[in-house]
């Protein structure tokens, strides 16, 4: 069926595509779930819609009430919420670190979000603190708070997980980056219930290093939705490897994806090196469009790495 009443009906049902050319072993197949195919461009469209649906169901949000949704986000959740808020008639205020890349601000603004900036050096933790202050000061603001909202993992439990098992019933490993942890928690719980032998692999950057959208839980904030029991293994991927694998995704598989996708693929390949045969599903959270100004595909990798320490591209 390719006819829909609303753009929101396009959320989910993203394709799984083989990126076996990146596997070190022909008996290890790697399948990429292309979340960049969602209408707002990332996996976060799923949680944006589910968070708003549940808040409306609980009476926390009421259409036409003049309420303003508030969210700390370095980009994708803000963009997903901006899309849903526009179609449901809410205003949206997004708190984001002042040093995010230009594409992120532009996208939020063209979707109609109001942008509040937080100190760049404080990263996403600073954006969370600023949003909490704003919410405490103004009753009109409704913070859905992806880091603590059960609707975040629920969107992946109800959508992403079943889609993965439907499209790859032979799955042995699911691999994804860890940000809010919603993807890993939701898909992890679904697979533990329906395919308990499948392993759940989380990819984190090292403490103190930035890979867009991802966090190391030792950096000072553990999302309330996080449950360590859902993970079987964690692997560390550095920013430089993330850029390298983002490039290889494009040059060897024709997949144009964001930098945290490169990180997730790097984690999947590390796992592939250690096993004789497997089917690995790796989730690519977004496309490459928002990262063009980082020079990730075009500039010298040392220059890209250095630039990323000043400007928050990922
Ligand atoms: C680009 C990108 N990759 C990965 C993630 C991590 O996904 P999750 O928040 O479900 O852990 C995010 C989340 O913010 C993201 O924006």
């Amino acid at each position: 069926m390719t006819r829909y009443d609303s753009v929101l009906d396009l959320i989910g049902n993203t394709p799984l595509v083989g990126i076996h050319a990146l596997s070190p072993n022909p008996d290890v197949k790697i399948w990429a779930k292309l979340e960049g195919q969602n209408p707002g461009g990332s996996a976060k469209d799923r949680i944006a819609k589910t968070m708003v649906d549940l808040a409306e169901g609980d009476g926390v949000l009421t259409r036409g009430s003049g309420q303003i949704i508030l969210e700390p986000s370095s980009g994708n959740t803000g963009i997903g919420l901006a899309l849903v808020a526009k179609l449901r008639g809410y205003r949206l205020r997004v708190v984001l670190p002042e040093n995010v890349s230009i594409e992120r601000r532009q996208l939020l603004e063209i979707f109609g979000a109001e942008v509040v900036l937080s100190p760049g050096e404080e990263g996403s933790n600073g954006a969370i603190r600023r949003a909490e202050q704003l919410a405490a000061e103004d009753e009109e603001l409704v913070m859905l708070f992806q880091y603590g909202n059960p609707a975040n993992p629920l969107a992946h439990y109800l959508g992403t997980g079943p889609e993965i098992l439907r499209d790859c019933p032979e799955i042995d490993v699911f691999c994804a980056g860890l940000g809010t942890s919603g993807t890993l928690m939701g898909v992890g719980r679904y697979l533990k219930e329906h395919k308990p032998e499948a392993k759940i692999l989380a990819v984190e950057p090292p403490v103190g290093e930035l890979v867009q959208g991802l966090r190391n839980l030792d950096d000072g904030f553990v999302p309330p939705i996080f449950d360590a029991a859902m993970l079987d293994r964690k692997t560390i991927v550095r920013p430089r490897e993330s850029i390298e694998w983002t490039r290889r995704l494009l040059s060897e598989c024709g997949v144009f994806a964001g930098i945290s996708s490169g990180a997730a693929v790097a984690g999947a390949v590390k796992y592939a090196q250690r096993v004789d045969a497997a089917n690995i599903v790796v989730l690519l959270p977004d496309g490459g469009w928002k990262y063009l100004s980082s020079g990730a595909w075009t500039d010298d990798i040392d220059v890209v790495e250095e630039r990323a320490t000043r400007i928050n591209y990922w």
Side-chain angles (χ1 to χ4, degrees), residues 44 76 152 156 177-183 212-214 260 285-286 291:
K44 296 296 183 172
N76 281 333
N152 172 1
H156 295 290
L178 191 148
T180 66
S181 79
T183 307
Q212 184 275 328
L214 307 189
S260 75
D286 59 6
Y291 307 89

Side-chain angles (χ1 to χ4, degrees), residues 42-44 47 73-77 104 146-147 152 156 177-184 211-214 225 258-261 283-286 290-291:
S42 85
K44 296 296 183 172
I47 75 160
S73 163
S74 61
N76 281 333
T77 301
R104 282 160 193 270
Q146 57 173 335
Y147 293 90
N152 172 1
H156 295 290
L178 191 148
T180 66
S181 79
T183 307
L184 283 157
V211 176
Q212 184 275 328
L214 307 189
I225 57 171
I259 311 297
S260 75
S261 300
L283 185 128
L284 311 191
D286 59 6
K290 290 191 301 295
Y291 307 89

Side-chain angles (χ1 to χ4, degrees), residues 27-261:
D27 292 327
V28 179
K29 303 283 181 216
I30 307 182
W31 304 94
K33 187 151 175 73
L34 303 186
E35 289 295 303
Q37 305 278 329
N38 282 297
S42 85
K44 296 296 183 172
D45 291 357
R46 296 176 184 268
I47 75 160
K49 180 165 179 296
T50 307
M51 288 196 300
V52 171
D53 282 345
L54 264 59
E56 288 181 341
D58 292 345
V60 173
L61 281 173
T62 308
R63 291 184 208 187
S65 62
Q67 288 167 301
I68 304 172
I69 300 173
L70 172 75
E71 191 68 20
S73 163
S74 61
N76 281 333
T77 301
I79 295 163
L81 277 173
L83 174 63
V84 177
K86 178 176 276 308
L87 294 178
R88 298 275 174 89
Y90 299 106
R91 282 169 63 195
L92 172 70
R93 200 166 290 167
V94 176
V95 184
L96 80 168
E98 65 195 343
N99 55 347
V100 299
S101 71
I102 181 72
E103 294 96 328
R104 282 160 193 270
R105 268 188 82 164
Q106 282 173 330
L107 274 163
L108 284 166
E109 283 167 1
I110 60 175
F111 271 109
E114 300 161 30
V115 171
V116 178
L117 298 175
S118 60
E121 66 279 7
E122 293 179 24
S124 58
N125 289 347
I128 294 170
R129 282 193 293 272
R130 183 84 188 99
E132 280 170 340
Q133 280 165 2
L134 292 172
E137 285 161 13
D138 186 346
E139 273 183 14
E140 259 197 338
L141 296 172
V142 178
M143 179 140 99
L144 297 173
F145 197 48
Q146 57 173 335
Y147 293 90
N149 192 327
N152 172 1
L154 184 68
H156 295 290
Y157 177 81
L158 296 176
T160 323
E163 291 168 27
I164 288 171
L165 195 56
R166 177 195 69 200
D167 296 339
C168 188
E170 66 276 41
I171 182 173
D172 299 300
V173 180
F174 173 68
C175 175
L178 191 148
T180 66
S181 79
T183 307
L184 283 157
M185 296 299 108
V187 175
R189 179 156 78 91
Y190 184 82
L191 290 177
K192 292 213 174 300
E193 287 173 9
H194 295 87
K195 177 99 184 193
E197 61 277 26
K199 299 274 175 266
I200 310 299
L201 171 63
V203 172
E204 290 181 319
V207 173
E209 294 187 25
L210 271 181
V211 176
Q212 184 275 328
L214 307 189
R215 59 171 57 242
N216 187 303
L217 294 184
D218 297 330
D219 258 343
F221 175 76
V222 177
I225 57 171
F226 178 73
D227 173 3
M230 291 301 153
L231 304 184
D232 295 294
R233 212 182 249 269
K234 281 200 221 171
T235 184
I236 300 282
V237 171
R238 305 197 64 181
R240 190 181 182 93
E241 293 172 89
S242 308
I243 302 164
E244 285 165 354
W245 286 98
T246 305
R247 288 183 175 188
R248 289 187 65 175
L249 265 173
L250 182 66
S251 62
E252 293 171 47
C253 304
V255 174
F256 180 50
I259 311 297
S260 75
S261 300

